[in-house]
């Protein structure tokens, strides 16, 4: 690639055809395609004694010793201690141990640490503290430790961790299986013979070969090149393939589009250019996962609520009521065990893991399950163009064919196809032949006499053929416009050249590459004879077309409230044309605005405003993509980024949701949160809808969990204060265990997705939770009050307590404990049907799993109430009459819950939303970015909620996003030489046993 293509100076009139240049039209046309050539540089030798190759790190950039940009291939062989016969098997094995396998390293999670990580968050710590309280601090008043509560708490912790571990491990194994199925092969010469091995087995010094259609398996320098053209779109974002000659470097992950080549491997695995890009991924560790932030805030709400009432109980029960040490401790344990939503991290993880498996059915493999929650709230989708929005396959735009001679557009297409190879095609020949529809027409009715394939010098193809119908010899050539018009001698007028120039300039403004076609006839039967002179007959437009489903996908995304922005390495004109074809719009900017900012006098006051307003950006490098994503996040948006190349990896990693499309490189897949296994973006719409379903399930559970926390701590604190009621801690454990079993089924509940991006409005969640919690508290306190203060239930239903008593023997009557247990267990679980619905609970049918689990849990609760008589806790069975009364009582109190929900929406929630909308409108008017500053302590607190061992990994790799991937050719060339030098230096420190020979 030349410097011009890298600079990617955008604009309707690029380098191809500057209007105000004083040079001739021919020269203008030449300049149009200059970008597809290579700058010639004379090779140099390493100015050191190659027999010693004792180079130190500080010598690597010393051009007095080695010109890293132009080191000759012979010196590469000497540095790598190899030759063109390849390595032997023994040496290859030694180098595998020295350099490692040729693949990107994947961090293997320790299964035990992964299991323990589900117990590593403040909610679990409180439960673990409660377990310690039960076993260590409960040795008081001559009583033994509370073993029952200790075992129950530990069991609850292990059940939650086991479920989360199992589901997350399943999701991880599905991804691993996908990655293993994508393992590429390589053709390598070992012991002088060629064989095919997995590319992971390649080592520096190996001789490899590849041909058209193959993926280059490792970074290499070419030792043999036959008309080679390499597609580096995954690396540079350029649509068009690049010609490669002897001594050039080919990068791992690029695709051979034409020709055959052999090369010597200079770098493998993480040391390749792709590996270097991948090493940048994940190092930008200044952010905490969005779900972890939400978990932290919900957890803080629950912990603060519990803390307030625990402190109140300590003051009232010990200071006021003079409780004994053990009695007060049991009351505090009730609040700790019952109030902590211990299952919350697990329920959310299971919901996400099950959701990941559901998304896999739509060919979307989720590699970071918390990304599903973030995908539901994505407001902006930044999409790479080449290979993502487009097919990454050149096509002839038939609608724009220009004709100049007596031939029609169809005739021009057919003649251009004649001048194309039908086998071992390059990208342009393939595009021309495929445009015929029936590829057999490219040779039908003609006899091939001579064919000259494209080469970087002539920049054209040429065919001489005999037309079978007439027996005449004819010749057709196609290629770079400037070259073709120079060849033309027949019917070449100034008017024709002006018209051609205008057409080429029009194509350039639309981002279309021009391909000229000329024709001549031969008088005799000598295929090498002179013709009657070439005549320009047509101009073809080549472009990378959008995928068939892309426009519909973008429309669907917009309907879901997600704005799509194109971010591409291609030129501005190409980006605008693609945007117009997709309905994205052509309001796009060159990447340089990210550095220079909006032009003086433009309608944009700031760069952030420009980025928000733009339909896309062109000519971007990885650091630009990264910067765009980072700025959009700074403006308060959740941002998704799609891509397929290693150059996309840093931005994929930075984005809230990184999406690697089908056919993406290992580096992109490693950085992405979601890997698509089907072409195009249509899967993303399914993923967005699916993620919003999953989000609704999590939101429903969050309201429920917070409401139950309020319900437990407020209820039992008030009962303790009002009646000196001492509820047994073990029964709270039973309630929590049954709740968890039921709530797990929320992961497959039937809910409707939102048509707008979802967001965690915690003020709404907490408001609903407080309202529900206080109402349910009232239902329990009212029941206990009536039982304690009156004989209402005996008078109406004839139910009694022990020994036929009309009222309980006291506030701590064992049967009263059982009545309270049953009332709390039933109505608390029933609350989920209210929180999961937007209207009346009976209008939105729950899943069979949720309904079945609820019924089983209530049956178990009722059986416990009827028969349980645990000797170690303060309960006794109650009669069927009391069980019936509790059920009817709960049904009566459950009915108004929907009306409480509606009342909250009409009052508190409405005011909260009005206040939020007003604040957002004020920020937009003032141009203040929606950012949230936070202390380091808060960030650490949030990170503790991660359901992975990221807190361990983060300590080991606290490295900022320092170096950036640059795409300038001289940098790539320099990097390749550094690779060879470093590999050589490693081998010098570990000399081969055969090197002396």
């Amino acid at each position: 690639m030349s410097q011009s293509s890298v600079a990617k100076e955008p604009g309707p009139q690029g380098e191809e055809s500057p209007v105000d240049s004083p040079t001739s039209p021919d020269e203008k046309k030449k300049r149009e395609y200059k970008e597809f050539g290579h700058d010639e540089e004379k090779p140099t030798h390493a100015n050191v004694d190659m027999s010693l190759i004792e180079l130190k790190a500080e010598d690597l950039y010393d051009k007095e010793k080695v010109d890293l940009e132009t080191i000759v291939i012979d010196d590469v062989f000497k540095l790598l201690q190899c030759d063109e016969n390849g390595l032997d098997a023994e040496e290859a094995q030694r180098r595998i141990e020295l350099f490692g396998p040729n693949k990107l390293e994947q961090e293997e999670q320790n299964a035990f640490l992964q299991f323990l990580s589900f117990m590593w968050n403040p909610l679990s710590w409180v439960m673990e503290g409660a377990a310690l309280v039960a076993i260590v601090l409960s040795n008081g008043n001559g009583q033994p430790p509370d073993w029952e509560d200790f075992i129950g708490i530990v069991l609850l912790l292990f059940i939650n961790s086991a479920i989360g571990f199992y589901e997350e491990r399943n999701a991880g194994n599905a991804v691993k299986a996908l990655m293993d199925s994508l393992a590429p092969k390589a053709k390598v010469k070992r012991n002088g013979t060629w064989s095919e091995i997995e590319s992971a087995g390649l080592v520096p010094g190996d001789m490899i070969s590849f041909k058209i259609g193959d993926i280059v398996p490792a970074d290499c320098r070419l030792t043999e090149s036959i008309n080679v053209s390499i597609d580096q779109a995954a690396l540079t974002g350029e649509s068009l393939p690049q010609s490669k000659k002897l001594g050039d470097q080919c990068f791992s992950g690029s695709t051979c589009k034409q020709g055959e080549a052999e090369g010597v491997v200079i770098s493998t695995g993480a040391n390749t250019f792709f590996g270097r890009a991948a090493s940048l991924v994940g190092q930008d560790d200044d952010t905490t996962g969005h779900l972890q932030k939400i978990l932290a805030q919900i957890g803080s709400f629950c912990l603060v609520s519990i803390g307030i009432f625990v402190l109140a109980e300590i003051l009232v029960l010990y200071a006021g009521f003079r409780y004994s040490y053990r009695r007060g401790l049991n009351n505090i344990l009730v609040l700790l065990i019952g109030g902590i939503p211990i299952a919350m991290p697990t329920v959310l993880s299971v919901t996400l893991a099950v959701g990941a498996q559901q998304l896999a059915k739509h060919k979307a493999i989720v590699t970071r399950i918390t990304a599903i929650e973030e995908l539901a709230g994505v407001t902006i989708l930044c999409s790479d163009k080449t290979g993502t929005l487009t097919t990454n396959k050149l096509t002839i735009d038939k609608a724009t064919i220009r004709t100049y001679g007596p031939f029609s557009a169809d005739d021009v297409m057919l003649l251009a196809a004649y001048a194309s190879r039908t086998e071992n095609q390059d990208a342009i020949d393939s595009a021309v032949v495929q445009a015929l529809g029936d590829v057999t027409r490219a040779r039908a009715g003609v006899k091939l006499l001579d064919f000259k394939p494209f080469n970087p010098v002539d920049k054209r193809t040429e065919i001489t053929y005999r037309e079978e119908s007439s027996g005449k010899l004819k010749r057709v050539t196609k290629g770079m416009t400037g070259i073709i018009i120079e060849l033309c001698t027949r019917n070449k007028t100034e008017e024709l050249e002006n018209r051609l120039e205008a057409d080429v300039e029009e194509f350039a403004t639309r981002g279309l590459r021009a391909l000229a076609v000329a024709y001549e006839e031969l008088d005799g039967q000598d295929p090498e004879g002179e013709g009657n002179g070439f005549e320009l007959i047509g101009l073809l437009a080549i472009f990378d077309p959008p995928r068939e489903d892309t426009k519909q996908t973008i429309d669907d995304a917009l309907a879901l409230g997600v704005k799509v922005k194109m971010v591409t390495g291609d030129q501005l004109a190409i980006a605008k044309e693609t945007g117009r074809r997709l309905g994205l719009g052509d309001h796009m900017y060159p990447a340089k605005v990210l550095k220079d900012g909006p032009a003086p006098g433009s309608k944009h006051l700031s760069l952030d405003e420009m980025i928000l307003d733009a339909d896309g950006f062109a000519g971007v490098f990885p650091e630009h993509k990264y910067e765009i994503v980072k700025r959009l996040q700074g403006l308060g948006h959740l941002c998704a980024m799609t891509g397929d190349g290693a150059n996309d990896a840093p931005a994929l990693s930075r984005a809230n949701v990184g999406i690697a499309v089908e056919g993406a490189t290992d580096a992109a897949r490693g950085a992405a949160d979601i890997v698509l296994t089907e072409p195009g973006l249509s899967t993303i719409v399914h993923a967005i809808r699916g993620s919003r379903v999953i989000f609704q399930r999590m939101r429903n559970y969050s309201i429920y969990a917070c409401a139950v926390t309020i319900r437990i701590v407020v209820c039992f604190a008030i009962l303790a204060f009002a009646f000196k009621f001492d509820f047994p801690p073990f029964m709270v454990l039973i309630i929590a265990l049954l709740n968890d079993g039921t709530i797990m089924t929320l992961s497959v509940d039937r809910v409707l997705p939102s048509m707008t991006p979802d967001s965690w409005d915690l003020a709404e969640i907490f408001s609903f939770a407080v309202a529900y919690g206080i109402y349910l508290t009232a239902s329990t306190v009212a029941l206990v009050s009536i039982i304690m203060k009156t004989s209402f239930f005996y008078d109406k239903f004839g139910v009694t307590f022990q020994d036929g008593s009309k009222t309980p023997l006291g506030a701590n009557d064992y049967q009263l404990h059982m009545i309270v247990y049953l009332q709390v267990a039933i109505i608390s679980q029933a609350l989920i049907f209210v929180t999961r619905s937007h209207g009346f609970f009976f209008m939105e049918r729950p899943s069979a799993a949720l309904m079945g689990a609820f019924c089983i849990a209530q049956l178990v609760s009722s059986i416990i109430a009827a028969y349980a008589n645990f000797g170690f806790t303060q309960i006794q069975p109650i009669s069927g009459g009391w069980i019936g009364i509790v059920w009817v009582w709960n049904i009566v109190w459950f009915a108004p819950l929907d009306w409480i929900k509606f009342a909250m929406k009409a009052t508190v929630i409405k005011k909260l939303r009005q206040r939020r909308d007003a604040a957002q409108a004020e920020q937009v008017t003032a141009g203040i970015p929606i950012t949230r500053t936070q202390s380091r302590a808060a960030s650490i607190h949030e990170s503790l909620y991660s359901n992975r061992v990221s807190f361990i990994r983060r300590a080991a790799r606290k490295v900022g996003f320092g170096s950036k991937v640059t795409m300038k050719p001289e940098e790539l060339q320099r990097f390749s030489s550094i690779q060879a030098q470093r590999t050589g230096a490693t081998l010098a420190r570990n000399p081969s046993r055969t090197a002396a020979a």
Side-chain angles (χ1 to χ4, degrees):
M1 185 193 300
S2 74
Q3 182 63 40
S4 62
S5 69
V6 174
K8 298 186 184 70
E9 284 298 324
Q13 297 169 349
E15 293 184 17
E16 291 96 347
S17 45
V19 175
D20 56 353
S21 171
T23 54
S24 67
D26 287 358
E27 289 175 344
K28 293 176 185 175
K29 298 171 182 63
K30 285 181 186 176
R31 282 198 299 276
E32 179 188 358
Y33 297 103
K34 182 180 178 182
E35 62 177 292
F36 302 109
H38 289 271
D39 293 334
E40 297 292 331
E41 291 189 47
K42 294 181 179 180
T44 62
H45 290 270
N47 189 23
V48 292
D49 187 346
M50 298 303 294
S51 65
L52 298 178
I53 52 175
E54 289 287 347
L55 289 177
K56 300 177 182 178
E58 56 266 24
D59 297 327
L60 291 179
Y61 283 100
D62 188 350
K63 297 184 75 169
E64 294 299 319
K65 293 182 177 180
V66 181
D67 188 343
L68 296 175
E69 297 179 11
T70 57
I71 181 172
V72 296
I73 199 71
D74 290 342
D75 286 356
V76 173
F77 277 119
K78 291 178 182 178
L79 279 168
L80 299 182
Q81 302 174 15
C82 61
D83 56 37
E84 293 191 355
N85 290 319
L87 305 172
D88 59 38
E90 186 179 356
E91 176 65 10
Q93 181 59 38
R94 190 182 77 89
R95 295 191 184 196
I96 277 279
E97 295 171 3
L98 198 60
F99 295 102
N102 177 37
K103 60 182 180 181
L104 298 182
E105 292 182 11
Q106 290 185 337
E107 188 174 0
E108 289 293 332
Q109 274 196 343
N110 182 293
F112 182 65
L113 284 179
Q114 187 181 3
F115 177 79
L116 291 183
S117 70
F118 282 92
M119 302 183 193
W120 187 265
N121 60 70
L123 295 178
S124 295
W125 292 345
V126 174
M127 287 297 281
E128 289 152 15
L132 290 176
V133 168
I135 196 69
V136 177
L137 300 181
S138 292
N139 295 301
N141 301 124
Q143 298 180 35
D146 193 349
W147 286 103
E148 296 83 7
D149 287 341
F150 172 77
I151 292 171
I153 292 169
V154 171
L155 184 65
L156 191 63
L157 282 167
F158 270 84
I159 288 173
N160 278 292
S161 294
I163 293 172
F165 173 80
Y166 173 78
E167 292 291 351
E168 191 168 301
R169 204 73 176 171
N170 272 358
N173 290 340
V175 174
K176 188 175 186 300
L178 169 77
M179 297 306 181
D180 290 344
S181 70
L182 299 175
K185 304 286 186 182
K187 193 173 181 182
V188 62
K189 184 185 278 189
R190 298 266 174 90
N191 299 317
T193 59
W194 290 101
S195 62
E196 188 175 72
I197 64 171
E198 284 195 6
S199 64
L202 292 178
V203 294
D206 263 330
M207 292 298 299
I208 59 172
S209 80
F210 50 88
K211 61 183 184 305
I212 182 170
D214 290 346
I215 294 176
V216 180
D219 285 8
C220 62
R221 294 284 292 274
L222 296 186
T223 58
E224 186 176 322
S225 175
I226 305 174
N227 201 25
V228 173
S229 180
I230 299 292
D231 180 3
Q232 296 185 162
L235 181 67
T236 64
E238 292 283 358
S239 304
L240 297 171
Q242 308 300 314
S243 297
K244 296 288 182 181
K245 60 184 184 300
L246 185 69
D248 282 351
Q249 181 176 19
C250 293
F251 292 105
S252 172
S254 53
T255 306
C256 181
K257 290 294 187 181
Q258 179 182 344
E260 299 179 11
E262 293 181 12
V264 57
V265 174
I266 63 170
S267 197
T268 58
N271 296 316
T272 62
F273 187 84
F274 277 13
R276 186 175 74 144
S279 71
L280 300 176
V281 171
Q283 293 184 355
D284 184 35
D285 228 354
D286 62 346
T287 59
T288 307
H290 187 252
L291 184 60
Q292 276 72 58
K293 292 182 179 181
I294 300 305
L295 265 174
Q297 293 174 61
I298 294 175
S300 298
F301 172 81
C302 296
L303 291 175
V304 169
S305 303
I306 294 167
I308 290 171
F309 283 91
V310 166
L311 186 62
E313 282 204 345
I314 290 173
L315 294 174
V316 174
L317 301 186
Y318 287 121
F321 296 163
R322 304 294 180 183
Y323 270 23
S324 66
Y325 171 74
R326 182 67 180 268
R327 184 182 178 187
L329 201 62
N330 284 341
N331 277 277
I332 291 170
L333 271 177
V334 168
L335 302 194
L336 292 178
I337 297 170
I340 291 291
I342 182 60
M344 180 159 58
T346 300
V347 169
L348 298 186
S349 287
V350 170
T351 301
L352 291 168
V354 170
Q357 293 172 354
Q358 292 170 342
L359 290 180
K361 296 176 183 177
H362 293 296
K363 307 300 182 183
I365 306 297
V366 180
T367 62
R368 179 175 66 89
I369 62 173
T370 53
I372 299 173
E373 175 267 339
E374 296 179 35
L375 183 60
V378 161
T379 52
I380 294 178
L381 172 62
C382 293
S383 177
D384 189 41
K385 180 187 75 70
T386 307
T388 305
L389 297 175
T390 62
T391 61
N392 196 18
K393 182 179 179 182
L394 297 182
T395 303
I396 303 298
D397 189 355
K398 294 182 182 180
T400 59
I401 294 176
R402 301 289 190 266
T403 59
Y404 304 100
F407 296 95
S408 67
D410 289 339
D411 294 335
V412 171
M413 272 303 313
L414 184 59
L415 290 171
Y418 287 165
S420 304
R421 299 179 86 164
T422 55
E423 296 179 356
N424 199 18
Q425 298 167 312
D426 64 17
I428 292 177
D429 281 354
S430 176
V432 173
V433 172
Q434 291 293 331
L436 289 178
D438 180 4
V439 296
T440 59
R441 292 179 59 204
R443 290 293 180 266
V446 301
K447 182 179 180 181
L448 175 64
L449 300 177
D450 182 48
F451 189 88
K452 295 178 181 177
F454 178 88
N455 65 74
V457 178
D458 295 333
K459 292 182 170 52
R460 67 185 182 92
T461 63
E462 181 182 290
I463 185 175
T464 305
Y465 64 93
R466 177 179 286 110
E467 191 175 59
E468 293 179 350
S469 60
S470 65
K472 291 184 177 180
L473 268 60
K474 299 181 178 181
R475 187 175 288 142
V476 179
T477 183
K478 75 176 194 319
M480 185 174 173
T481 311
I483 299 294
I484 298 299
I485 196 64
E486 275 188 356
L487 289 175
C488 294
T489 56
R490 192 157 48 95
N491 297 329
K492 181 179 177 181
T493 64
E494 186 176 350
E495 180 185 355
L496 175 74
E497 291 188 69
N498 290 338
R499 185 177 158 203
L500 176 64
E501 181 182 354
D503 288 339
V504 171
E505 288 180 358
E506 180 193 346
F507 283 3
T509 61
R510 297 180 54 188
L512 305 174
R513 177 174 176 176
L515 187 70
V517 184
Y519 163 89
E520 71 173 355
E521 295 184 358
L522 283 69
D523 293 332
Q525 294 297 313
D526 180 9
E528 296 183 2
E530 292 289 330
N532 63 348
F534 277 112
E535 177 183 1
L536 181 70
I537 61 171
L539 194 68
L540 306 181
I542 305 174
F543 76 114
D544 182 12
R547 293 182 183 272
E548 291 182 359
D549 64 341
T550 300
K551 189 176 189 309
Q552 183 61 47
T553 300
I554 290 173
D555 291 342
D556 291 344
L558 292 172
L560 290 169
V562 179
K563 181 173 174 57
V564 181
K565 294 182 184 292
M566 183 195 303
V567 182
T568 177
D570 259 332
Q571 297 185 9
L572 183 63
I574 297 174
K576 286 188 173 184
E577 179 68 11
T578 304
R580 283 190 287 266
R581 290 173 184 260
L582 290 173
L584 269 179
D586 58 1
H587 198 198
M588 301 189 185
Y589 300 96
K592 66 179 182 180
V593 302
L594 296 172
K595 179 181 179 182
D596 301 339
S602 72
K603 66 176 183 177
H604 301 116
L605 300 176
S606 67
L607 179 57
D608 287 341
E609 187 180 333
M610 175 181 280
I611 290 175
L612 263 183
D613 182 57
D615 295 320
F617 295 89
V620 300
F621 292 144
E623 55 266 35
H624 297 139
K625 296 182 179 184
Y626 182 89
E627 182 69 17
I628 290 167
V629 171
K630 191 171 183 178
R631 282 184 173 273
L632 287 171
Q633 289 173 328
L635 290 169
H637 289 277
L638 286 185
C639 190
M641 168 76 184
T642 68
D644 61 349
N647 61 328
D648 299 322
L652 288 175
S653 178
R654 172 73 202 196
N656 299 94
V657 183
I659 304 170
V661 298
E662 189 266 345
T665 61
D666 282 347
R669 287 200 301 264
D673 304 308
I674 297 175
V675 178
L676 306 185
T677 57
E678 273 192 351
L681 292 178
S682 58
T683 308
I684 292 181
V685 173
H686 292 296
I688 290 174
R689 288 199 183 101
S691 67
R692 291 185 183 177
V693 166
I694 295 161
F695 181 92
Q696 288 298 322
R697 292 169 180 159
M698 293 193 296
R699 180 181 179 275
N700 297 342
Y701 169 73
S702 298
I703 295 174
Y704 170 80
C706 293
V708 168
T709 293
I710 296 295
R711 186 261 193 285
I712 294 291
V713 297
V714 176
C715 172
F716 287 111
I718 289 176
L719 289 178
F721 298 159
F723 302 105
K724 297 186 179 179
F725 184 84
D726 303 331
F727 194 69
F730 186 80
M731 298 312 293
V732 173
L733 269 174
I734 297 294
I735 292 173
L737 195 60
L738 291 175
N739 273 358
D740 289 356
T742 302
I743 296 307
M744 290 295 174
T745 59
L746 273 181
S747 60
V748 292
D749 190 24
R750 184 185 290 106
V751 295
L752 295 174
S754 167
M755 290 305 292
T756 56
D758 287 310
S759 62
W760 288 97
D761 195 324
L762 294 178
E764 287 187 18
I765 290 175
F766 297 154
S767 298
F768 277 124
V770 170
Y772 294 145
I774 291 175
Y775 178 80
L776 295 185
T777 294
S779 73
T780 305
V781 173
L783 177 64
V784 173
S785 299
I786 292 173
I787 292 173
M788 292 283 295
K789 301 295 185 183
T790 73
S791 59
F792 173 79
F793 292 113
Y794 173 79
D795 296 339
K796 295 294 182 182
F797 307 105
V799 290
T800 61
F801 288 88
Q802 296 178 42
D803 304 324
S805 172
K806 297 180 183 180
T807 57
L809 301 178
N812 291 305
D813 185 288
Y814 286 8
Q815 287 187 324
L816 178 59
H817 286 170
M818 187 66 88
I819 291 171
V820 171
Y821 156 76
L822 184 61
Q823 194 272 336
V824 170
I826 292 172
I827 200 165
S828 295
Q829 273 197 19
L831 177 65
I832 190 61
F833 296 108
V834 175
T835 64
R836 65 172 294 278
S837 59
H838 296 283
F840 287 105
F841 77 92
F842 52 82
M843 299 296 290
E844 298 180 30
R845 184 163 58 95
S847 66
L850 175 60
M851 197 65 204
F854 172 78
C855 293
I856 291 171
Q858 300 318 309
L859 179 62
V860 170
S861 293
S862 298
I863 291 173
I864 288 174
Y867 300 106
N869 190 7
F870 307 135
F872 55 82
T873 192
Q874 303 169 343
I875 57 167
Q876 282 186 358
I878 56 177
S879 66
W882 275 116
I883 293 174
I885 287 170
V886 171
W887 269 97
V888 172
W889 179 268
N890 281 339
I891 290 171
V892 170
W893 279 83
F894 178 80
L897 272 170
D898 275 332
W899 292 103
I900 291 175
K901 175 171 61 183
F902 300 147
M904 286 292 295
K905 286 183 177 180
T907 55
V908 177
I909 304 303
K910 183 178 179 181
K911 288 183 179 178
L912 286 174
R913 290 178 179 174
Q914 287 174 345
R915 186 186 304 171
R916 180 191 62 198
D917 294 343
Q920 289 179 350
E922 184 180 341
Q923 287 172 329
V924 170
T925 304
I928 302 171
I930 308 169
T931 56
R932 181 171 69 94
T933 58
Q934 73 178 15
S935 67
R936 180 171 176 77
S939 179
I940 293 173
H941 171 58
E942 290 168 353
S943 73
L944 296 175
Y945 283 84
S946 175
N947 276 343
R948 283 153 186 75
V949 286
S950 58
F951 57 94
I952 294 175
R953 295 204 308 267
R954 189 177 295 112
R957 64 173 196 205
K958 196 65 179 174
V959 182
F961 198 93
S963 56
K964 297 176 180 176
V965 181
T966 55
M967 294 298 145
K968 293 183 178 179
E970 59 268 25
E971 281 297 314
L972 302 187
Q973 183 83 22
R974 193 175 189 83
F975 181 65
S976 72
S977 299
I978 295 170
Q979 289 173 314
Q981 286 283 39
R982 286 177 176 167
T983 304
T986 303
L987 287 172
R989 292 192 297 271
N990 300 270
S992 169
R993 288 182 288 276
T994 60

